[in-house]
Amino acid sequence: MAQSDPEPEPTAAAEAAVEAEAAEDSGDDGVEAEPEPDPEKAERTIERLMWSSAWLTVLVGVFLVVGVARSDSHYSVFAWLGAVVAMLGLLALAATYFACARKRITLRTRLRGPIDVFKGSTVVMAIVVICGVLVPTDNTPALAVLLPWAVTYWLYGLDKTEAPTP
C-alpha cells in the first residue's frame, strides 16, 4: 500500500502569498523608500532663503522711506527719531542677512558670550518694530520686518545640534 505524501508541494499561488506576507512583515509595501536627503541641495535652499530674507528686509526699508517721503504730516521729534532708528536697524538686519547668504557668518556665530547672530538680530528686529510704530504714517512696514525674521527663525531652528548632557 502506497502512502500519500503528508506535505504536498507548494503551488505558485501559495509561494506568492508567502512572499507577500514576508514583504508585509518587513514593512515593504511595494512603495519605494524615501530618497536620502541631499546635503548640497539643503545648503542651496538655506542660502536662497537667506538671500530672500535680505532682499525682503531691503524692501521693507524702501517701503518705510516711501511712506515717510509721501507723508504730508509734520513729524514730531519722536517720529523722526523712530524713522531714523528703524532705517538704521533695517540696514543692520539686511547687512547681517546678506553676510549669512554669502556664508561670511552663520546665524549661530557667537557675538559675545551666549549671544549669537540670531539673538542679536532678534533684538534689532524688536527695536525696528518699536521704532517703526512711532512713525505715524503706517505701521505695515514696521510689522513687515517680521516676515524675514520669521524665515531666519525657522532656519535657526533647523540647524539645532544636540547639546551633550552631563
Side-chain angles (χ1 to χ4, degrees), residues 48-68:
R48 284 186 200 132
L49 287 171
M50 288 306 301
W51 280 108
S52 299
S53 293
W55 286 112
L56 283 171
T57 305
V58 169
L59 283 175
V60 168
V62 168
F63 291 144
L64 185 65
V65 167
V66 168
V68 169

Side-chain angles (χ1 to χ4, degrees), residues 83-147:
V84 169
V85 171
M87 281 307 301
L88 291 175
L90 286 170
L91 288 174
L93 285 174
T96 301
Y97 296 156
F98 278 123
C100 287
R102 297 189 68 193
K103 297 184 181 184
R104 303 274 187 217
I105 59 174
T106 66
L107 292 173
R108 295 199 179 273
T109 302
R110 295 280 177 203
L111 296 176
R112 180 171 276 252
I115 307 292
D116 56 15
V117 169
F118 175 74
K119 293 174 185 171
S121 70
T122 301
V123 171
V124 172
M125 184 271 313
I127 291 170
V128 166
V129 169
I130 291 168
C131 291
V133 169
L134 292 176
V135 179
T137 56
D138 190 10
N139 294 336
T140 304
L143 297 175
V145 76
L146 293 173
L147 177 63

Side-chain angles (χ1 to χ4, degrees), residues 19-92:
E19 288 176 11
E21 187 175 306
E24 188 176 288
D25 290 342
S26 69
D28 186 17
D29 297 334
V31 178
E32 292 184 24
E34 296 246 350
E36 296 278 329
D38 184 13
E40 291 177 12
K41 184 177 180 183
E43 285 297 319
R44 286 191 308 268
T45 303
I46 289 171
E47 184 178 337
R48 284 186 200 132
L49 287 171
M50 288 306 301
W51 280 108
S52 299
S53 293
W55 286 112
L56 283 171
T57 305
V58 169
L59 283 175
V60 168
V62 168
F63 291 144
L64 185 65
V65 167
V66 168
V68 169
R70 294 178 106 192
S71 174
D72 293 334
S73 64
H74 297 286
Y75 286 162
S76 67
V77 173
F78 287 118
W80 279 112
L81 182 64
V84 169
V85 171
M87 281 307 301
L88 291 175
L90 286 170
L91 288 174

